[in-house]
Amino acid sequence: MLIEMQHVFKTYKNGVVALSDITLSIDKGEFVYLIGPSGAGKSTWIKLLYREELPSKGKMLVNGFDFSRFKSRHTHRLRRTIGVVFQDYRLIERLTVEENIAFAMEVVEAPARDIRRRVNELLYLVGLKAHAKRFPRELSGGEQQRVAIARALANKPELLIADEPTGNLDYENSLQIIKLLEEINLQGTTVVMATHDRDIVNRFRRRVLELSEGRLLRDEAKGVYDRQ
Amino acid sequence: MKLRTLRRHLRDAFRSFLRNGWMSFASVATVAITLFLVGVFILAALNIDHLARQTESQVEISIYLKMDTSQDEIRKIEADLNNLPHVHSVRFVPREEGLAWLKETYADEADLFVGLDEDNPLPDAFFIKTDEPARTAELAQTIQSWPQVETVRYAQEEVAKLLEITTVIRQIMLVVVIGLALTATFLISNTIKLTIVSRREEVEVMRLVGASKWYIRMPYFIEGALIGLLGAGIPLLLLVYLYQQYVENTEILSMSVLSMQSVTVPLIVALFGIGLLIGIWGSLSSIRKFLRT
């Protein structure tokens, strides 16, 4: 089991209940859509996974890390097993495409030779070998998101989390991103993707987790966007 | 930490130091002013300490005997004095000699001494020097208890006064330096804040991909330390130069001043130590406030 949650609650300091009584488990190698309207708790749920937020109550296990016995000074260890991608890419503007990818490995002190090899590998995977020396602002949105995905994969995480990765992209580019995520998933990485994109969810049928007002409304294998 | 990592941190720290321009300059200047004053105080304190010690070592103990002391008793006291531990030299001044010295010294006021030859009011006296200034008080006390000894004096007051000045200087220094150091720390923490804010994106990515807390903090520590060390180096050079001039000028006056060599080490240790402390403290307070890791 890669992700395990038992009766997890999240209440923010201001009293807002973002998640309540979430129980679910995700296996290694799965591809999961997380859907639901804005404010349903998708972002909070994702932040819990990489300990950007801490659960208020309940048991959680991610990539073998038991959150009930977790020391916060070890947060970086958990994060090295997780790749995260956002709607707004969050690339470093002053670095080129290859430097952006390498950055993720440099800051965890990977050996220089490994970094060169891995960056090359990833550039091929996301199809941006030709753009290696370009800066983010010279790329289209879809290309920038592919750089972000490459960066998220740099340290070979077991789990890739994508928070609305196609939110800023047109349909064509969104398709490309999904195909890339599918390929990554085929290579063994577990993928969790929060999305609003009805077409994508309906076209590439996968397990669907639907959140509504902080509760898990639906957990359906090969689900569609709208409940039938 | 790997060498490559260290190099990267150093590079980042230097870059931000330059990019923060005026703020870096203001921080370094404040540290420099603080440490310049610290240095001046240290030099003053060391020299006054030195002067006090020297005065102390030159101190004679004056022993005035009772008027009815016989020649035999005087000889016995002389022998006893010579037998005391830590006594370096013993000098006997008979009362006649003492009066002659007084007359000579105050030759202008000769009328003061009229008739004193017949009725000399001065006692016989011994003057001794010790080989260990710290023992002066102890020795004086021992001698005071001897039966034929009237009074014992030594330059207690002068030494005490010098040591008092040193204490006052230390206290003033403490207040001024703490005030300035706090200002410097505040400025450094603001400079580091600029760096942290300008690198927010990068820090965000570092956190996300699992860079360790120390890896993320290190460049800011280095930047703080850099400001502190630069702020120490400038006044150090200046003080060494000024002190050199001072030593050369006072040599002519044959004043007792500590040599360049004997002040350099405490100066370097104090200035770089305090500079580093201020720098790291400043960056630490900024990191705590603005860098959630």
Side-chain angles (χ1 to χ4, degrees):
Chain A
M1 222 58 75
L2 207 73
I3 300 172
E4 176 107 47
M5 288 184 167
Q6 279 175 30
H7 308 293
V8 169
F9 290 75
K10 175 65 189 180
T11 310
Y12 283 105
K13 277 199 191 103
N14 57 16
V16 173
V17 180
L19 291 174
S20 82
D21 203 13
I22 305 287
T23 297
L24 58 83
S25 63
I26 295 173
D27 261 333
K28 193 165 169 50
E30 280 197 76
F31 190 119
V32 180
Y33 290 121
L34 182 66
I35 63 169
S38 300
K42 297 195 299 295
S43 286
T44 302
W45 185 81
I46 279 174
K47 282 177 183 163
L48 286 183
L49 295 183
Y50 61 96
R51 281 182 79 86
E52 181 67 24
E53 295 290 349
L54 305 180
S56 315
K57 224 167 89 179
K59 286 187 70 175
M60 263 187 87
L61 223 93
V62 177
N63 290 355
F65 290 88
D66 184 347
F67 281 24
S68 58
R69 284 177 300 175
F70 197 92
K71 294 193 177 74
S72 61
R73 68 188 145 92
H74 292 153
T75 302
H76 66 278
R77 293 193 192 163
L78 166 72
R79 290 191 179 158
R80 286 179 196 192
T81 69
I82 300 173
V84 191
V85 175
F86 300 95
Q87 181 172 359
D88 56 357
Y89 327 130
R90 303 197 187 175
L91 299 175
I92 298 166
E93 293 296 327
R94 64 173 181 85
L95 299 181
T96 63
V97 167
E98 61 181 3
E99 285 167 349
N100 262 286
I101 301 169
F103 184 84
M105 295 181 76
E106 281 163 7
V107 300
V108 300
E109 303 186 70
R113 200 147 48 93
D114 292 4
I115 296 178
R116 269 197 304 278
R117 196 189 314 125
R118 182 71 178 149
V119 168
N120 231 341
E121 216 172 272
L122 288 164
L123 283 171
Y124 278 113
L125 174 73
V126 301
L128 291 172
K129 184 69 189 134
H131 294 342
K133 306 272 188 227
R134 298 240 181 128
F135 287 93
R137 63 175 175 278
E138 301 170 324
L139 304 179
S140 73
E143 287 164 338
Q144 287 190 51
Q145 190 59 291
R146 272 141 64 194
V147 178
I149 290 170
R151 181 180 66 192
L153 293 174
N155 294 314
K156 303 191 173 173
E158 294 173 67
L159 171 65
L160 180 67
I161 304 170
D163 192 358
E164 309 265 0
T166 60
N168 286 347
L169 302 178
D170 58 28
Y171 192 66
E172 277 310 307
N173 275 304
S174 296
L175 278 185
Q176 270 195 342
I177 295 297
I178 294 302
K179 281 176 181 158
L180 179 57
L181 291 178
E182 293 237 293
E183 192 180 334
I184 290 159
N185 180 239
L186 276 176
Q187 290 176 10
T189 309
T190 309
V191 177
V192 174
M193 172 176 161
T195 186
H196 271 125
D197 202 323
R198 176 179 280 102
D199 291 337
I200 297 277
V201 174
N202 290 340
R203 181 160 166 189
F204 301 88
R205 294 283 201 89
R206 296 290 194 164
R207 179 176 171 188
V208 171
L209 298 175
E210 186 177 352
L211 287 176
S212 172
E213 291 173 0
R215 294 181 172 277
L216 185 60
L217 208 64
R218 175 162 64 118
D219 181 352
E220 187 181 10
K222 290 194 182 291
V224 289
Y225 196 88
D226 300 292
R227 252 178 310 166
Q228 284 141 342
Chain B
M1 192 169 23
K2 289 182 181 177
L3 196 67
R4 189 161 49 91
T5 307
L6 186 68
R7 218 167 42 217
R8 184 191 178 87
H9 288 331
L10 280 172
R11 188 199 60 199
D12 282 356
F14 272 94
R15 267 191 198 153
S16 342
F17 177 80
L18 294 177
R19 192 171 41 204
N20 288 340
W22 281 104
M23 279 299 287
S24 297
F25 175 78
S27 306
V28 170
T30 316
V31 176
I33 292 167
T34 310
L35 293 182
F36 182 79
L37 287 177
V38 170
V40 168
F41 283 128
I42 286 175
L43 287 175
L46 282 176
N47 269 297
I48 291 172
D49 245 16
H50 170 71
L51 201 63
R53 242 174 261 280
Q54 247 194 357
T55 313
E56 215 167 30
S57 72
Q58 284 164 357
V59 163
E60 270 187 332
I61 303 179
S62 316
I63 303 152
Y64 301 101
L65 303 180
K66 289 186 176 151
M67 298 302 274
D68 59 356
T69 312
S70 70
Q71 288 302 313
D72 284 347
E73 283 168 325
I74 289 171
R75 269 191 292 278
K76 185 176 176 308
I77 290 170
E78 181 161 26
D80 287 347
L81 286 173
N82 275 314
N83 282 334
L84 281 173
H86 302 297
V87 169
H88 180 64
S89 66
V90 177
R91 186 162 58 94
F92 176 63
V93 178
R95 44 198 305 210
E96 297 77 21
E97 205 177 299
L99 187 63
W101 182 81
L102 263 184
K103 278 183 175 173
E104 200 179 310
T105 312
Y106 300 101
D108 293 346
E109 339 239 349
D111 48 336
L112 275 178
F113 304 104
V114 170
L116 288 186
D117 285 330
E118 297 81 55
D119 192 14
N120 188 348
L122 296 180
D124 290 320
F126 279 103
F127 298 94
I128 65 168
K129 281 186 179 174
T130 71
D131 57 11
E132 208 173 313
R135 300 283 178 139
T136 307
E138 188 188 317
L139 256 154
Q141 258 176 4
T142 310
I143 297 164
Q144 179 74 72
S145 67
W146 294 356
Q148 284 306 315
V149 171
E150 179 73 47
T151 41
V152 175
R153 286 222 187 90
Y154 62 100
Q156 211 166 9
E157 294 84 9
E158 284 90 334
V159 173
K161 209 167 274 171
L162 281 174
L163 292 176
E164 207 174 290
I165 294 174
T166 326
T167 315
V168 170
I169 286 193
R170 284 212 184 101
Q171 282 163 350
I172 295 174
M173 162 171 138
L174 213 63
V175 173
V176 174
V177 165
I178 286 176
L180 278 167
L182 286 177
T183 314
T185 310
F186 174 75
L187 274 170
I188 290 175
S189 111
N190 267 295
T191 313
I192 303 292
K193 180 183 122 185
L194 283 185
T195 307
I196 292 176
V197 169
S198 75
R199 286 224 216 101
R200 222 175 6 211
E201 284 179 323
E202 277 164 64
V203 170
E204 187 59 34
V205 175
M206 285 187 195
R207 279 159 40 79
L208 214 55
V209 299
S212 72
K213 200 161 89 176
W214 281 105
Y215 187 95
I216 296 174
R217 292 174 166 197
M218 197 53 75
Y220 309 108
F221 271 117
I222 297 177
E223 193 182 343
L226 185 71
I227 291 172
L229 290 178
L230 265 176
I234 296 166
L236 189 67
L237 291 177
L238 198 64
L239 283 166
V240 164
Y241 172 76
L242 290 175
Y243 194 72
Q244 186 72 49
Q245 299 295 311
Y246 177 69
V247 169
E248 276 167 19
N249 286 330
T250 48
E251 252 166 19
I252 306 163
L253 303 170
S254 71
M255 264 176 67
S256 172
V257 174
L258 282 173
S259 68
M260 195 68 232
Q261 288 91 321
S262 52
V263 299
T264 314
V265 172
L267 214 54
I268 289 177
V269 170
L271 262 54
F272 277 118
I274 299 174
L276 207 59
L277 206 71
I278 291 176
I280 288 180
W281 188 9
S283 49
L284 200 69
S285 75
S286 205
I287 287 168
R288 249 203 318 261
K289 261 184 272 177
F290 303 104
L291 201 67
R292 223 161 36 91
T293 48

